[in-house]
Amino acid sequence: MAKPSGNGQGPAPSGADATARGEGGRQNEGGKRSGARRRKRRGKRGAGQREGAAASPAAPEKRAASGRKPGPKRQGSPAPRREEAPAALARPVFFVGFMGAGKTSVSRYMARRWKFSAIDLDVYLERREGRVIRDIFAEDGEAAFRAIETDVLREVGESPNPSLVSCGGGIVERSENRELLERLGTVVHLRVSADEAAGRISNKSTRPLFNDIEGARALCERRAPLYDAAADVVVDTAGKSVAQIAYEVMGALRRRGDVRPQPKDGQAAAEERDTLS
Ligand code: S3P
C-alpha cells in the first residue's frame, strides 16, 4: 500500500512492494484536503483504500494497489448518507477480528464520515520497517513479525492523538498485546467466519496465514475466544455493508462515552456566530 511520504518513519515500501500485499490501497487523507482533490484521489485508488486524517506520530500510507476486496459485501438497504457532525475520540479504538473482517474498510469509512484520524497498523508497520509483511514473514519468520507488531501497537496506542486503529488479525495472539489493547483503548471485534472472509479477500497471497480454507477455519476458531475476550464491543458483520457496521460501531462508541463532538476551531465558531447574527 502506498503511503504518503515524509512522515518521519522509515523508508516507504517501493511501489512494487507496496502493492505486493494486495490490500486495497489504504491512505490517510488529512482532513484539510479539499473535496475536489479528495474525489480526484479517490478515483485513482483501488477498492479497500483507506481514508481518514492521519494521526501523529506518523501518517500511515495506503496500501497501493488493490488485491483485496473491501470488507463486508453490501447487502440490504444502504445506511442513510447524511452529513455527520465531526466527532472526536476520547481514547483509541482498536478494531480486531479475523483477516477479511472489514477492520480497515470500516475504520476508513468512519474516518471519512466523522473526520476521525485512522491508522492501519499493518500499513504503519510496513512503512516503519520498509518491507511488506509477506517479506517479513518470509525473511524473518512469524515470531519476528509479532515482536514488531507489539512495538507498533504500543507506539500507535500511546500516541497523544487517539485514532481508529485497524489491527492485524493476529494481534490477539500475544498476551502482551491483549494487555496493551485493554489498557490503552476500546476494542471492537468485527466478527466474521473464515468462509465469509475467504469470499472477501481476493488476493490471499499477501496474507501468509491465509493459505487454505481448512487452515483459516482452524485459526479463526482458535482465535474467536481471544477476540471476544479482548473486546469491549462485538459486531457481527455477516451480511452487513461497511456503512451499516460503521454506524453500529459508532452507536456503541457513543453509548460508551468514547466519542464526543469535535470542538470547533476559532474560525468555525466565528463563522457560525456571523451566520446566526
Ligand atoms: C495476520 C493478519 C494480517 C497481517 C498478517 C498476519 C494474522 O492482517 O497482520 O498477515 O495473523 O491474522 P489483516 O487481518 O489486516 O489481514
Side-chain angles (χ1 to χ4, degrees):
M1 53 239 82
K3 308 175 194 180
S5 57
N7 62 9
Q9 294 185 94
S14 70
D17 281 350
T19 33
R21 189 164 179 272
E23 175 73 10
R26 302 178 190 184
Q27 182 170 344
N28 278 329
E29 295 184 349
K32 295 186 197 113
R33 186 170 289 135
S34 74
R37 274 184 71 194
R38 187 178 293 127
R39 277 192 297 279
K40 196 171 163 205
R41 290 182 60 87
R42 204 179 291 154
K44 288 182 183 172
R45 286 196 298 266
Q49 287 175 322
R50 161 183 173 147
E51 299 178 17
S56 175
E61 283 197 12
K62 308 259 156 212
R63 301 181 176 200
S66 170
R68 184 191 213 180
K69 290 177 188 170
K73 285 180 185 143
R74 287 168 189 272
Q75 285 179 24
S77 49
R81 297 250 168 189
R82 58 179 181 262
E83 273 296 310
E84 295 288 354
L89 293 173
R91 58 206 308 244
V93 173
F94 300 104
F95 286 93
V96 303
F98 200 59
M99 294 169 268
K103 294 162 289 185
T104 298
S105 299
V106 171
S107 159
R108 179 190 67 206
Y109 182 97
M110 292 179 68
R112 280 172 49 197
R113 188 123 298 225
W114 289 282
K115 307 290 183 289
F116 291 127
S117 162
I119 293 181
D120 182 289
L121 212 61
D122 286 343
V123 176
Y124 187 100
L125 182 155
E126 289 182 335
R127 178 156 185 81
R128 206 187 78 162
E129 297 301 303
R131 284 187 295 170
V132 293
I133 289 172
R134 187 177 59 183
D135 290 348
I136 299 174
F137 266 75
E139 290 160 15
D140 300 338
E142 183 177 349
F145 168 77
R146 296 292 171 209
I148 303 169
E149 192 178 40
T150 298
D151 211 34
V152 294
L153 173 63
R154 185 178 292 108
E155 198 169 301
V156 168
E158 289 180 345
S159 161
N161 306 310
S163 299
L164 301 174
V165 183
S166 43
C167 302
I171 201 82
V172 292
E173 291 281 359
R174 285 182 142 204
S175 62
E176 192 178 349
N177 294 355
R178 299 196 294 270
E179 282 159 25
L180 283 170
L181 291 169
E182 186 183 351
R183 178 167 67 79
L184 296 174
T186 294
V187 180
V188 177
H189 175 199
L190 300 186
R191 195 182 272 150
V192 70
S193 70
D195 290 86
E196 180 141 2
R200 294 175 187 170
I201 303 172
S202 52
N203 185 358
K204 297 178 186 62
S205 71
T206 59
R207 288 174 173 79
L209 297 181
F210 206 122
N211 293 323
D212 57 86
I213 189 63
E214 284 78 23
R217 279 187 196 126
L219 190 59
C220 192
E221 210 168 295
R222 180 173 67 72
R223 285 181 181 168
L226 296 177
Y227 293 133
D228 280 338
D232 299 296
V233 174
V234 180
V235 175
D236 273 309
T237 66
K240 292 178 188 164
S241 69
V242 169
Q244 285 171 323
I245 298 164
Y247 273 88
E248 245 183 81
V249 171
M250 191 62 178
L253 295 181
R254 283 193 206 280
R255 285 191 293 279
R256 290 175 46 81
D258 290 336
V259 292
R260 47 189 158 72
Q262 208 170 76
K264 287 195 175 75
D265 60 25
Q267 172 75 21
E271 279 168 13
E272 188 164 292
R273 274 198 304 278
D274 288 349
T275 318
L276 295 173
S277 61

